[in-house]
Amino acid sequence: MPPAQQNARLQPYVAPFVRALPVDLLQNLACSFMPGLWSNVTAEGHPVSQVVASLTGLPPGDELDSLVTKVLFTDMKNYCLTQAWMASGLNGVRTLVRCPDAEILGEMHRNHQPAIFVFSHFGPRYAIAPAFQSVGIPVGLFQGLIPPPLQRKDVEQFVAQLPGMEVFWINDPKTIRAIHLKRAVERVQRGEMVAMAIDGGHGDVLADAEFFGHRIQVARGPAVLARLTGAPLIPITVTWDEGWSIEFRVHAPIVRPDVAPTGSGEFDLALTDRAVRFFDEFLRKAPEQMRLDRIARLVSKPKVS
């Protein structure tokens, strides 16, 4: 794409950052991130347009160019988010969150309605804990990676600001993870809430699933917890809006499969498949929320024939 045309296409995305971010942050952004942005190459060395086209099936043209631009700016926003952690910790991220469904969550919490919130890794990085903090809803959050340069204690201190919120580390030894699961079950049985990711290939029990036409492995943990407790499995999404705000949404519960929970394996697989299909359909409508590292990893997986 000619530079003039590229500049015209990028201007609507750049402008919100110029207005919203401190000058020193913008300087750091320009010096360390822009070269990678303009090169349009993933960490694996593939052109971004190539991996996005492979994933979406879009032919070369304006529609593909527009989506590539949006994907690049999702990455740019996530880079800025990392800078925000370094400057002010996760409390700075919390102020960016907007939740149109805050009253729904508040009513669930007041009425002691148990729930298992399930999410997928797209949009803002590491924003689930700040999202729940922003609306004052304490959950038991299954957490894996830690946003650099933070450490475990930093995340634990952050969530402890909201009484009743706790972190279950999914990378702990197996015996500790079993304790986490027991505590999560107890939380839900008391009418409380937990939040777990369905993607990432973590956990002791995985399932094969189709996502964007590729075969991936996902966690069955959310479905297992739903089976053990009878609580609804409710998708949540945390996405970037067109500016510098993070939108936190709560969606309708996943319909439970018409399988007796005593048939554990069949029930878990069916409910997991339905949850994966929800996020597949959501991202097909908002593919700009996908992250470069996730896109590159996904297209490396076997295609479903």
Side-chain angles (χ1 to χ4, degrees):
M1 183 186 299
Q5 185 179 350
Q6 186 177 56
N7 289 342
R9 185 181 296 277
L10 296 179
Q11 181 59 32
Y13 301 94
V14 173
F17 287 98
V18 176
R19 291 193 298 266
L21 300 183
V23 172
D24 58 345
L25 188 56
L26 284 170
Q27 289 174 340
N28 289 338
L29 174 67
C31 292
S32 58
F33 187 78
M34 286 300 181
L37 180 63
W38 302 141
S39 66
N40 287 5
V41 173
T42 67
E44 293 76 15
H46 305 299
V48 173
S49 58
Q50 177 181 315
V51 294
V52 172
S54 174
L55 189 64
T56 62
L58 289 174
D62 288 345
E63 187 177 1
L64 177 61
D65 289 342
S66 177
L67 179 55
V68 168
T69 301
K70 292 176 181 179
V71 168
L72 288 169
F73 270 88
T74 290
D75 235 39
M76 182 184 194
K77 290 177 182 179
N78 283 330
Y79 176 83
C80 292
L81 206 57
T82 302
Q83 300 298 310
W85 297 325
M86 294 179 180
S88 59
L90 290 170
N91 282 313
V93 178
R94 179 172 55 190
T95 62
L96 302 175
V97 179
R98 307 289 179 266
C99 183
D101 304 313
E103 183 53 39
I104 294 174
L105 287 167
E107 185 175 355
M108 292 176 64
H109 179 54
R110 291 189 295 271
N111 294 335
H112 302 286
Q113 293 178 235
I116 300 153
F117 296 113
V118 60
F119 59 91
S120 182
H121 292 94
F122 53 79
R125 302 186 69 192
Y126 309 112
I128 297 296
F132 280 106
Q133 284 270 3
S134 72
V135 291
I137 302 299
V139 297
L141 174 62
F142 283 80
Q143 176 89 18
L145 299 176
I146 304 171
L150 304 183
Q151 300 177 4
R152 274 195 179 196
K153 63 179 179 61
D154 299 311
V155 177
E156 290 168 351
Q157 289 171 0
F158 172 73
V159 301
Q161 295 175 29
L162 182 61
M165 191 165 179
E166 62 180 324
V167 178
F168 303 128
W169 295 103
I170 64 174
N171 295 325
D172 278 342
K174 188 172 183 178
T175 53
I176 304 300
R177 294 201 303 272
I179 296 173
H180 293 335
L181 178 61
K182 179 176 182 295
R183 290 175 62 187
V185 169
E186 291 170 347
R187 283 187 69 105
V188 177
Q189 290 174 337
R190 291 196 303 266
E192 299 177 10
M193 309 171 188
V194 300
M196 313 173 73
I198 198 164
D199 56 352
H202 57 269
D204 299 315
V205 184
L206 301 175
D208 288 334
E210 180 180 341
F211 190 73
F212 264 80
H214 292 261
R215 181 66 60 187
I216 63 171
Q217 284 199 311
V218 296
R220 286 168 56 181
V224 170
L225 196 55
R227 169 172 54 82
L228 292 175
T229 63
L233 189 64
I234 301 177
I236 57 174
T237 54
V238 179
T239 57
W240 288 110
D241 69 5
E242 293 183 356
W244 183 239
S245 293
I246 295 171
E247 185 171 77
F248 177 27
R249 300 305 305 260
V250 180
H251 302 268
I254 302 292
V255 177
R256 295 172 76 89
D258 189 19
V259 177
T262 51
S264 59
E266 187 178 353
F267 179 89
D268 296 349
L269 289 173
L271 189 57
T272 298
D273 182 68
R274 292 184 180 189
V276 172
R277 276 191 279 131
F278 169 86
F279 290 111
D280 181 286
E281 292 170 4
F282 182 90
L283 279 175
R284 286 182 187 276
K285 297 175 183 176
E288 72 280 356
Q289 297 293 334
M290 297 193 74
R291 306 175 193 159
L292 284 181
D293 59 336
R294 295 279 169 176
I295 294 175
R297 191 181 311 169
L298 183 57
V299 298
S300 70
K301 302 296 183 182
K303 283 192 173 183
V304 178
S305 57

